[in-house]
Amino acid sequence: MTIIRELSLRYIKLISLILVLTLLLVGCNNKDLTLSATASAQEGDVTLVIGAYSVAKDALTEIIPKFQQEWKAKTGQDVRFQESYEASGTQARSIVGGFEADVTLLAMEGDIDKLIKANLLTSDWKSKPENGMITRSIVVLGTREGNPLGIQDFTDLTKPNVKVLYPNPKTSGGAQWDINAIYGAGLKMSEEQGDKDPAAAKAFLEQVHNNIESLDKSGRSSMAAFEYGVGDVIVTYENELLARIQKGVKYEVVIPRNTILIENPAAVVDKYADKHGTREVAEAFVDYLWTEEAQRIFTKHGFRPVNEKVYSENESNYPIPEGLFDIEYLGGWNEVRDTLYSKRGIWYQVLAGI
């Protein structure tokens, strides 16, 4: 019994010693973690999450490092970026569904409205320069080198055996601009004959859609299909074609007589920026998009800049179509959503053949 008692006492002492050593180690580790966290805080590193539409990717790839350099020089803070690029409609739905982007760049104001309705964006984003629009473009037609089919206007897309590409407006903001342009061109033509006639515009859109070869999920996917050899004509952003031509791809840009002015917004997603504590840098990044440096990069990638100085430097590169119209010609985005893209809207009637 004495031996057992002595062994028990030794065992208790051993366990106690282990516990003491464990507590000391934990204390040291916690101290190290605290020091590490303090060091990180002192370094001031911050991560900014960007949710953008696919067409903006190439320009942002150049803009982001420029902003990182400027912000580091100004504040001493390193900014890391996490980037997501999707079709504009898909990206907006993703953010509404829980993708916590601090900043978003989308193809159209209508997709920003989705974030507002979800109470994710609460500030007056249109109080920024140019009502929150960071780039402009127009809807144009792209053909193969030499324009072998002699395409000159939207009316040529209704001819037999002309294979047309544009993306799906259910997922792509770019596609909605394309459909708006075709429908609006139909309205313009009816107006030239007398009255602005939605029925005639719908009939014209149906004629064009009868020649559709492919409906891709995004403007970038549509361009990829065209480059792969699908279709004869692509309805797309002017900047998409100019960017590809600059890279040596042999396309022709055809500017329709009647087409729409595209405006692309950017905004801080208030709920997520505040949640992540990134508002200051998020606001600074969005503001940076209007600087001459960023606008020149957008211009390099085919966009029409909104900065007046940069635009004036490049104005000769941007012809103004005779019948250029904007979204207000169609009644504004609320009207467009109701008349074209609602469940019983014109676009879905066109798809259903009714």
Side-chain angles (χ1 to χ4, degrees):
M1 292 294 292
T2 302
I3 294 174
I4 292 173
R5 189 180 295 110
E6 288 178 358
L7 289 173
S8 296
L9 289 171
R10 290 177 183 175
Y11 180 74
I12 291 169
K13 289 179 180 179
L14 179 61
I15 293 298
S16 299
L17 180 60
I18 290 171
L19 286 171
V20 170
L21 290 173
T22 300
L23 289 171
L24 287 171
L25 287 171
V26 168
C28 289
N29 287 337
N30 284 343
K31 184 178 180 181
D32 290 341
L33 289 171
T34 302
L35 288 172
S36 176
T38 302
S40 178
Q42 288 172 348
E43 290 169 5
D45 294 351
V46 63
T47 297
L48 203 61
V49 182
I50 307 293
Y53 72 112
S54 57
V55 175
K57 182 177 181 179
D58 291 343
L60 285 181
T61 298
E62 290 191 43
I63 287 171
I64 284 172
K66 298 285 188 182
F67 173 77
Q68 287 172 314
Q69 293 170 10
E70 181 176 294
W71 189 253
K72 176 72 172 178
K74 181 180 178 181
T75 68
Q77 187 178 50
D78 290 315
V79 185
R80 299 186 181 93
F81 281 80
Q82 292 180 0
E83 303 157 57
S84 169
Y85 299 96
E86 288 283 356
S88 184
T90 302
Q91 189 68 270
R93 284 190 294 274
S94 178
I95 295 170
V96 170
F99 169 50
E100 296 187 359
D102 302 301
V103 169
T104 189
L105 290 79
L106 296 173
M108 60 186 191
E109 181 178 338
D111 284 335
I112 293 284
D113 288 342
K114 295 173 185 176
L115 309 188
I116 294 172
K117 288 179 180 178
N119 296 317
L120 298 178
L121 202 157
T122 56
S123 63
D124 182 9
W125 67 276
K126 297 187 81 171
S127 64
K128 296 287 188 180
E130 304 300 327
N131 290 320
M133 305 300 169
I134 54 166
T135 51
R136 296 190 180 105
S137 191
I138 60 174
V139 171
V140 298
L141 307 176
T143 75
R144 307 294 175 190
E145 185 178 11
N147 193 359
L149 298 183
I151 302 297
Q152 297 299 320
D153 207 344
F154 282 126
T155 53
D156 294 320
L157 306 189
T158 67
K159 294 178 179 178
N161 302 317
V162 175
K163 298 175 181 178
V164 179
L165 272 75
Y166 45 72
N168 188 340
K170 184 176 180 180
T171 57
S172 169
Q176 289 194 27
W177 284 118
D178 298 338
I179 300 305
N180 296 347
I182 298 168
Y183 179 78
L187 280 178
K188 282 275 188 178
M189 287 186 290
S190 70
E191 198 171 22
E192 291 166 3
Q193 300 300 317
D195 295 325
K196 193 175 178 182
D197 185 359
K202 176 191 172 186
F204 181 65
L205 178 58
E206 285 175 329
Q207 288 179 295
V208 174
H209 190 68
N210 285 339
N211 284 342
I212 195 69
E213 181 76 1
S214 177
L215 275 177
D216 296 290
K217 76 170 187 175
S218 71
R220 184 53 56 88
S221 297
S222 188
M223 180 59 68
F226 191 59
E227 292 197 354
Y228 190 71
V230 178
D232 302 311
V233 185
I234 184 170
V235 185
T236 188
Y237 287 13
E238 176 189 53
N239 55 278
E240 274 286 79
L241 286 172
L242 293 179
R244 299 306 300 149
I245 291 169
Q246 288 172 9
K247 293 182 179 180
V249 183
K250 303 297 183 181
Y251 291 139
E252 304 290 335
V253 179
V254 176
I255 298 178
R257 182 167 61 93
N258 299 311
T259 192
I260 197 166
L261 176 69
I262 295 168
E263 295 185 294
N264 312 119
V268 175
V269 184
D270 298 301
K271 181 175 179 180
Y272 295 140
D274 290 339
K275 177 181 177 180
H276 303 154
T278 57
R279 170 163 296 275
E280 183 181 7
V281 67
E283 292 281 2
F285 178 71
V286 170
D287 289 343
Y288 179 77
L289 299 176
W290 282 281
T291 65
E292 290 181 16
E293 185 172 50
Q295 289 285 300
R296 287 193 176 95
I297 293 172
F298 280 126
T299 302
K300 174 183 173 183
H301 290 275
F303 290 95
R304 296 186 177 209
V306 299
N307 179 285
E308 290 185 7
K309 181 178 179 181
V310 178
Y311 181 83
S312 65
E313 293 170 356
N314 298 274
E315 189 172 0
S316 61
N317 297 325
Y318 304 120
I320 305 298
E322 176 187 339
L324 184 67
F325 57 92
D326 61 18
I327 197 67
E328 295 305 318
Y329 178 74
L330 303 181
W333 277 112
N334 287 334
E335 178 71 16
V336 166
R337 279 193 295 269
D338 289 342
T339 58
L340 262 73
Y341 303 114
S342 63
K343 288 184 179 179
R344 296 185 180 182
I346 290 170
W347 169 248
Y348 294 99
Q349 291 174 32
V350 169
L351 287 181
I354 57 177

